[in-house]
Amino acid sequence: MKINQNYLDLKESYLFSLVAKKVREYKEQHPEREIIRLGIGDVTLPLVPVVVEAMQRAVLEMGVRETFRGYGEEQGYAFLRQAVCGYYAQKGVQLSDSEVFISDGAKSDLGNILDIFSTDNTVLIPDPVYPVYVDTNIMAGRKIIYVNGTAENGFLPLPDETIKPDIIYLCSPNNPTGAVYNSAQLESWVAYALEHEAVILFDSAYEAFVQDQSLPTSIYQIPGAKECAIEFCSLSKTAGFTGVRCGYTVVPHELVRNQTAINKLWLRRQTTKFNGVSYIVQRGAEAVFSAEGLKQIRANIAYYLENARLIAETLKDLGFWVVGGENSPYIWLKCPDGMNSWQFFDYLLAKAGIVGTPGAGFGANGEGFFRLSAFGDRNDVLEALARLRSL
Ligand code: MLT
């Protein structure tokens, strides 16, 4: 028996587990301290009423012989896949429901998709970025090349013609920096992927936070993207589903590599390894995409974006270098006084009882930076800002 040795190349803990462990240890030593959590992007507002009602109806159906359901389609119920297509149509993107795969969240599918790609592929990953992309490729032993996101390029790296990647990860709005690619920038990524016959794995988990109407919220708004991109999205941040679990992955029929339709491979993988998301959850997700659902979730998103505005404004007032928070729920700041990311993490926790996420956890270019999440309760955010001001 041999273990997968690649796992030994991973950092000992996943970023957010390490942060949680440090906070637990601090809390054990200082039980009296009230901690404000602006670290992991976990939502605090409850599910919106239309979602709750839809799930309640689904629970009742499951308790009646005539409407009870057993296994669903591995790809997701047609009613939800069609609702997702309807949502994309509002963005000017036409999809067929056989291109949509319902998942239990973007994180799972971003990792699982790698099953259908050879481990010989070279992977291009922006740095800093959501650590799941790096860790899942280390697990498979793939070669990773980084493109640098820096303050100079607004944390939006563009294609590097000296690199010939097979798989390209993009996250826009970006986690952790909140930066959003404009159409021209995404066009250059699509052209680059087509030129190298690469596949873009586009993470749009934060698309619902984009306020600037000129910015793309799906890679498929860019001509040619259906021939080179898979898009992953989640209702975690869009509709408060972090604990409910539901997302979707779009694999267009036009995406063909090695004379093989990628959609077919992914369907084969999913039908073998996945039994779908629960009926109750899928009915809740369907309600998100109704006119009333979209209205209700947008009110929650506006609440979080107001938190983001308050955080960014206060930090700027205090002389911090800050980006993000306008089209995203994350605020990305430079650590003060030359502190590195983990020093600032310890300092904020000890002096103000505030938890954030060290930028270094998102890649080498995140060192010296720090991420605050706007998903907190408003009173907690205001209390955190008052504590920051008094530091
Ligand atoms: C984050 O804080 O970056 C996210 O909540 C993590 C995730 O979505 O898995």
Side-chain angles (χ1 to χ4, degrees):
M1 201 295 290
K2 293 196 186 106
I3 60 157
N4 178 350
Q5 291 281 333
N6 296 320
Y7 273 68
L8 305 183
D9 295 333
L10 292 165
K11 290 199 190 104
E12 195 176 321
S13 313
Y14 178 58
L15 172 63
F16 294 105
S17 313
L18 179 60
V19 168
K21 179 168 169 269
K22 280 185 167 257
V23 175
R24 255 192 328 271
E25 284 166 3
Y26 179 84
K27 190 75 187 153
E28 272 161 30
Q29 284 156 15
H30 305 88
E32 73 302 337
R33 189 74 158 130
E34 277 215 25
I35 308 281
I36 301 177
R37 291 167 203 271
L38 305 180
I40 190 163
D42 197 2
V43 291
T44 50
L45 291 173
L47 296 173
V48 295
V50 282
V51 168
V52 175
E53 288 153 19
M55 288 169 71
Q56 283 172 332
R57 280 195 301 274
V59 169
L60 293 177
E61 281 178 47
M62 293 295 268
V64 175
R65 181 183 280 273
E66 287 70 30
T67 48
F68 168 78
R69 301 190 186 220
Y71 289 122
E73 283 176 67
E74 298 91 341
Q75 200 181 336
Y77 283 104
F79 63 76
L80 179 52
R81 289 185 283 120
Q82 281 156 10
V84 171
C85 292
Y87 183 60
Y88 272 84
Q90 292 170 34
K91 299 171 186 252
V93 175
Q94 304 309 321
L95 296 177
S96 107
D97 61 6
S98 56
E99 294 174 307
V100 177
F101 294 76
I102 305 304
S103 70
D104 66 346
K107 182 183 187 176
S108 319
D109 271 8
L110 279 159
N112 293 336
I113 197 83
L114 295 174
D115 267 15
I116 63 169
F117 299 121
S118 160
T119 49
D120 306 340
N121 288 309
T122 297
V123 179
L124 192 72
I125 303 185
D127 170 352
V129 87
Y130 185 38
V132 168
Y133 315 155
V134 172
D135 285 0
T136 51
N137 279 289
I138 291 177
M139 288 171 182
R142 271 192 201 85
K143 182 174 169 205
I144 302 174
I145 300 178
Y146 296 95
V147 275
N148 295 319
T150 60
E152 289 67 42
N153 62 21
F155 292 100
L156 293 169
L158 289 173
D160 178 343
E161 285 303 335
T162 64
I163 305 169
K164 303 206 180 321
D166 303 304
I167 298 173
I168 301 165
Y169 284 84
L170 296 177
C171 178
S172 181
N174 183 269
N175 179 12
T177 67
V180 188
Y181 280 114
N182 64 30
S183 299
Q185 290 166 327
L186 281 188
E187 276 163 24
S188 68
W189 278 111
V190 166
Y192 178 69
L194 290 171
E195 180 193 338
H196 296 293
E197 293 191 23
V199 172
I200 295 175
L201 303 182
F202 189 80
D203 181 352
S204 65
Y206 298 92
E207 58 84 29
F209 289 81
V210 173
Q211 301 300 295
D212 179 342
Q213 304 276 318
S214 73
L215 294 171
T217 56
S218 163
I219 187 118
Y220 303 123
Q221 289 166 329
I222 308 301
K226 283 189 178 173
E227 282 113 75
C228 65
I230 298 175
E231 184 158 298
F232 302 84
C233 199
S234 161
L235 296 184
S236 287
K237 318 296 155 87
T238 306
F241 272 47
T242 52
V244 176
R245 310 303 316 149
C246 194
Y248 50 90
T249 296
V250 179
V251 189
H253 292 304
E254 288 93 324
L255 181 57
V256 175
R257 292 290 179 273
N258 309 143
Q259 295 87 48
T260 308
I262 300 295
N263 180 291
K264 245 179 105 179
L265 281 193
W266 181 238
L267 180 64
R268 186 69 182 83
R269 189 269 175 208
Q270 289 299 80
T271 46
T272 306
K273 292 199 183 181
F274 189 53
N275 258 341
V277 176
S278 86
Y279 173 69
I280 298 159
V281 166
Q282 291 194 57
R283 280 295 184 199
E286 179 192 26
V288 169
F289 297 109
S290 65
E292 184 55 27
L294 290 173
K295 192 170 139 213
Q296 293 182 5
I297 59 152
R298 281 178 186 141
N300 286 3
I301 288 169
Y303 174 96
Y304 294 133
L305 285 173
E306 176 60 9
N307 282 348
R309 192 190 65 75
L310 291 167
I311 296 171
E313 195 179 80
T314 303
L315 289 170
K316 282 182 195 156
D317 220 30
L318 293 171
F320 281 85
W321 182 98
V322 181
V323 291
E326 283 160 6
N327 295 293
S328 109
Y330 295 128
I331 293 95
W332 183 245
L333 58 116
K334 199 162 172 33
C335 302
D337 303 329
M339 275 189 251
N340 73 32
S341 301
W342 282 104
Q343 283 168 338
F344 189 55
F345 173 88
D346 291 335
Y347 172 84
L348 259 196
L349 185 57
K351 302 280 184 202
I354 298 172
V355 181
T357 310
F362 297 97
N365 287 317
E367 182 57 281
F369 291 89
F370 202 74
R371 192 194 79 176
L372 290 175
S373 152
F375 285 115
D377 175 84
R378 177 69 47 76
N379 289 331
D380 286 347
V381 168
L382 292 174
E383 170 62 20
L385 297 179
R387 289 186 196 176
L388 273 178
R389 279 191 187 279
S390 67
L391 263 186

